[in-house]
Amino acid sequence: MKFTSTRLVASDIKRMVAFYELVTGCRADWLAPVFAEIVTPGATLAIGSVETVAIFKEGSAEPGANRTAILEFMVSDVDAEFARLEGQVEVVHEPKDLPWGNRTVQFSDPEGTRVALYTPMTEAARRRLGDR
């Protein structure tokens, strides 16, 4: 089995795609007016409009309803990314060091999903995350 992507359901797909293009620095590939993918070196982020839910099963997903997931992106300098994005996105918390060796900052996307950018700071964290 290969984990390939995470899909978000958006009530305003254009706004969501613009947010993730800003955060990742990657351009979206629009496969349909209601569906786009942002392909990064590590994974793909798929974004579908609320209309796409009915294709699978009506009511099976709802934009803005998830408060259990945090999408994480590893970056080379979390403080530089924070400086680049501050004032353009909603900040959940400013850069801070975590007990497992990462430095992280967290934002909220337009639907309320948490987005973390992190940099491994300790040697153990760099070893653990080096080949991801």
Side-chain angles (χ1 to χ4, degrees):
M1 181 182 307
K2 181 179 179 182
F3 183 73
T4 58
S5 72
T6 296
R7 181 179 309 182
L8 300 175
V9 175
S11 58
D12 184 343
I13 191 169
K14 290 181 181 178
R15 187 170 170 220
M16 282 283 278
V17 168
F19 171 87
Y20 283 101
E21 285 180 327
L22 172 67
V23 169
T24 65
C26 297
R27 302 261 319 139
D29 183 13
W30 287 88
L31 305 178
V34 295
F35 185 79
E37 291 182 332
I38 296 177
V39 179
T40 71
T44 297
L45 179 62
I47 303 170
S49 70
V50 71
E51 292 84 8
T52 63
V53 174
I55 295 169
F56 300 106
K57 183 179 178 192
E58 190 70 45
S60 63
E62 180 183 332
N66 185 346
R67 296 295 184 260
T68 63
I70 300 171
L71 301 180
E72 296 181 310
F73 296 89
M74 186 167 33
V75 299
S76 60
D77 185 340
V78 76
D79 292 292
E81 293 297 322
F82 175 70
R84 180 179 69 86
L85 295 168
E86 187 179 27
Q88 299 182 76
V89 298
E90 180 185 337
V91 176
V92 174
H93 71 74
E94 294 186 359
K96 65 169 83 173
D97 295 330
L98 300 176
W100 48 91
N102 294 340
R103 184 160 175 77
T104 188
V105 64
Q106 205 174 99
F107 306 106
S108 181
D109 80 10
E111 297 283 348
T113 299
R114 300 306 188 232
V115 178
L117 306 182
Y118 72 94
T119 302
M121 300 300 287
T122 65
E123 187 56 39
R126 285 191 286 276
R127 275 194 314 274
R128 186 178 75 252
L129 298 166
D131 61 349
R132 290 188 191 179

